[in-house]
Amino acid sequence: ELFGYGQTLCLLAAAMFGLAFVNDAYVLKHIDVNYYVSMAFILPAVGLYALYPKARSEMLIFLKKEQLKKMSVIGALYAVSAVTIFTAYTVGQNAAVISVINKSSSLLIVLAGIVFLNEREHVVRKIIGASVALCGVALLIL
């Protein structure tokens, strides 16, 4: 089997991220980056809270001190990531190049997965694959 269920979901997610980035790029031609990122982070949470009453009690766990600390770090990392990539787009105006450069994070993800998540199967293949992807990024920006 070429693709399993997980790989199929990942390809679907990649397609959705691609469409979302193109949409973001279009919207950012008309709206300030900081305002857009703020709304992009707040509105989904408010919408879920309003539309799924059963999930409300489960969402409250994130307000406990220990979870709130962890979520604050994660939220800050994602916020900085979103602001920087969207600012890069507004400066560079080339969604294709910026999106591919952003994927250079694959090498860091592979290495962190090996070190912190003990993802030790096929380590050499993973590093080679991530390195090839990084070479692709270099070819695109040169």
Side-chain angles (χ1 to χ4, degrees):
E1 180 175 314
L2 184 60
F3 288 111
Y5 182 65
Q7 289 87 356
T8 302
L9 286 177
C10 189
L11 285 171
L12 180 61
M16 295 301 107
F17 274 114
L19 290 172
F21 189 77
V22 170
N23 179 68
D24 294 334
Y26 175 77
V27 172
L28 286 169
K29 290 182 180 195
H30 310 286
I31 296 177
D32 176 65
V33 169
N34 295 316
Y35 174 76
Y36 182 66
V37 170
S38 299
M39 291 299 103
F41 275 63
I42 293 168
L43 291 179
V46 171
L48 284 172
Y49 189 81
L51 294 174
Y52 297 101
K54 292 179 183 177
R56 290 178 186 169
S57 61
E58 295 175 23
M59 293 171 83
L60 294 177
I61 192 171
F62 295 113
L63 296 178
K64 292 183 179 177
K65 186 177 181 180
E66 202 56 39
Q67 289 295 329
L68 189 60
K69 279 196 259 182
K70 292 176 187 174
M71 292 304 292
S72 296
V73 171
I74 292 168
L77 290 172
Y78 272 105
V80 169
S81 172
V83 169
T84 54
I85 193 161
F86 292 149
T87 302
Y89 174 74
T90 59
V91 170
Q93 294 290 311
N94 192 334
V97 172
I98 289 166
S99 177
V100 172
I101 291 170
N102 188 44
K103 299 306 177 220
S104 64
S105 65
S106 299
L107 185 58
L108 177 62
I109 293 168
V110 167
L111 295 174
I114 292 167
V115 173
F116 298 112
L117 302 176
N118 292 320
E119 296 178 351
R120 314 262 178 191
E121 308 87 37
H122 311 292
V123 171
V124 174
R125 278 197 258 174
K126 289 177 180 180
I127 292 172
I128 291 170
S131 299
V132 168
L134 197 56
C135 289
V137 169
L139 288 172
L140 194 67
I141 61 174
L142 294 177

